[in-house]
Amino acid sequence: MEKRKFYLIFFILIGLCAVNLFAQEQSDEASVVEEEIVEETPEEPVAKAEKSDFKKAFNRAMEIIWPWPILSLESGYPEVFSFDIGLETLFIPVADEGCVGTYFCFGYARSLKDNFFRFSAGLAFGMMGLFDVHGGVGIGLMPKNHETLQTWFIEVSYRLIILEIKIIDEKPLKPSSLVDYYNSTYKDGYKFKIGLSI
């Protein structure tokens, strides 16, 4: 049943990404056609310049705000399976093709003994579709024996095209009984993962 739910979520996210890319492509094609129509229609030069300036400003704002999906499947040590779902947004161009932005992410991970649910936010830097570096902080939850361990963590990930490497340094907070369990089971707190990401 869990596998079916996971596959359903996975295919829905892939579909949303495809729709997002298709809509962006259609929007680009429509703007090219609209520019051609505007060029053929005789207008006052001042009105045309005002429309052009507004359109450029609007397109620029949408490039900054428009969210880009995060979807990752990973495996590693000590967590044998994990996935991340999130969004990157607020892109500010730097250099020629690079941009800096923020990201928000939900992650699920499973070790041989426990399940983890993580929420994180941070900064992202990269070149769209080529490489990407994320660095952020977050909080985590680990249900165990009718209690829930609360954690905080720092994460860093690097993605090259679709291959992603991620390192998490996680520390338990409370309750004390689960803190002792966590410290004895996951001795150093570091978690290493490698997987696929879009």
Side-chain angles (χ1 to χ4, degrees), residues 24-41 48 55 59:
Q24 188 172 2
E25 183 179 315
Q26 293 299 321
S27 173
D28 292 344
E29 289 176 5
S31 66
V32 168
V33 170
E34 188 176 308
E35 285 175 8
E36 290 173 0
I37 292 170
V38 169
E39 287 174 5
E40 293 171 2
T41 307
K48 188 175 181 181
K55 187 173 181 179
N59 287 342

Side-chain angles (χ1 to χ4, degrees), residues 70 72-77 79 82-85 103 105-109 118 120 134-136 153-159 163-169 190-195 197:
I70 298 170
S72 304
L73 293 173
E74 303 150 337
S75 183
Y77 177 80
E79 297 170 353
S82 65
F83 71 84
D84 295 323
I85 299 170
Y103 77 92
C105 197
F106 164 75
Y108 166 77
R118 297 188 178 105
S120 61
H134 287 181
F153 62 92
I154 298 171
E155 65 181 3
V156 176
S157 67
Y158 178 77
R159 179 183 58 81
L163 182 66
E164 180 181 54
I165 296 172
K166 180 184 271 190
I167 298 173
I168 296 175
D169 182 17
Y190 286 99
K191 299 174 180 187
F192 175 80
K193 304 177 185 188
I194 187 165
S197 177

Side-chain angles (χ1 to χ4, degrees), residues 55-66:
K55 187 173 181 179
K56 285 179 184 176
F58 177 77
N59 287 342
R60 183 81 177 126
M62 289 310 294
E63 285 175 11
I64 291 171
I65 297 170
W66 192 261

Side-chain angles (χ1 to χ4, degrees), residues 30 47 51 54 67 69 71 83-84 88 108 117 124 131 135 177 187:
K51 281 186 179 179
F54 174 76
L71 178 60
F83 71 84
D84 295 323
E88 292 180 7
Y108 166 77
F117 302 91
F131 77 91
S177 59
K187 299 192 185 315

Side-chain angles (χ1 to χ4, degrees), residues 141-159:
L141 303 171
M142 183 194 83
K144 187 79 171 177
N145 299 334
H146 307 293
E147 291 186 293
T148 301
L149 175 69
Q150 298 173 18
T151 66
W152 71 274
F153 62 92
I154 298 171
E155 65 181 3
V156 176
S157 67
Y158 178 77
R159 179 183 58 81

